[in-house]
Amino acid sequence: HRCNAWLTHAPTKISCRRDMSLKSKLSLPENYQDIGNELIFQAGKSCGATEDQLSVAWKGGKVTVTISGDAFLSFVSDDDDDTLANGVDVVVLARAINAELDDNEIGTRIAETHEIEVTTPGGKDEITGVMWDVYHGFDVIAKFFDPKKKEEKTIEGRLHERTDETTVINVKGRMKKIKNENLLSVKLPKAKKEKGTR
């Protein structure tokens, strides 16, 4: 089978697809989704996830397992940074789900007839903490209080710099310095769809 992983500020995904040519050859019992859910929750439990953290959605030939709460990708985390290693490892969870499915006859049939995707809901859009360095140069939307006009303002531009006292946003080539005490929020804009995608 084939596995792909993506890591962006958007949701983290690991997707596995096995040989789908077997789909027509295998029949599944009526309660196969209940059996699949039980196996997925067992795999989650073995990785430290609770049932409250996992949600499973069955749609056509795809099973999407979403893990909420703290999650990380082991092959992305930095060994020196323990902050990334808190929570459930998405890679380990995907492997545990594959192992649980492989150890069960109906689970094997589910895996051979469905694409299994393990994902997270994604990060927050608001920039905080170490994210200031990560999103340097990215498009942002900044909300701040203008003390001269005594009103809230919103600007769009690129995050240029962040110090202890000011945040600098590049708005069409002009640098806008905002005192951090007046800054209400800095967020990433909603993702744009490319032409031709659904």
Side-chain angles (χ1 to χ4, degrees), residues 72-88:
F72 67 97
L73 291 172
S74 60
F75 63 85
V76 173
S77 67
D78 184 352
D79 292 336
D80 297 331
D81 188 0
D82 292 337
T83 60
L84 290 176
N86 292 331
V88 178

Side-chain angles (χ1 to χ4, degrees), residues 115-128:
E115 177 182 0
I116 312 290
E117 180 179 274
V118 178
T119 185
T120 62
K124 296 177 183 174
D125 289 339
E126 192 162 340
I127 298 175
T128 59

Side-chain angles (χ1 to χ4, degrees), residues 6 13-17 20 23 28 32-33 37 40 55-66 110-119:
W6 302 267
K13 294 182 189 176
I14 295 184
S15 179
C16 295
R17 181 187 296 261
M20 300 305 276
K23 191 172 191 172
L28 291 167
Y32 76 94
Q33 289 183 356
N37 286 344
I40 289 166
S55 69
V56 183
W58 297 77
K59 188 171 182 182
K62 186 175 184 178
V63 181
T64 303
V65 180
T66 304
I110 290 170
E112 289 171 344
T113 57
H114 290 74
E115 177 182 0
I116 312 290
E117 180 179 274
V118 178
T119 185

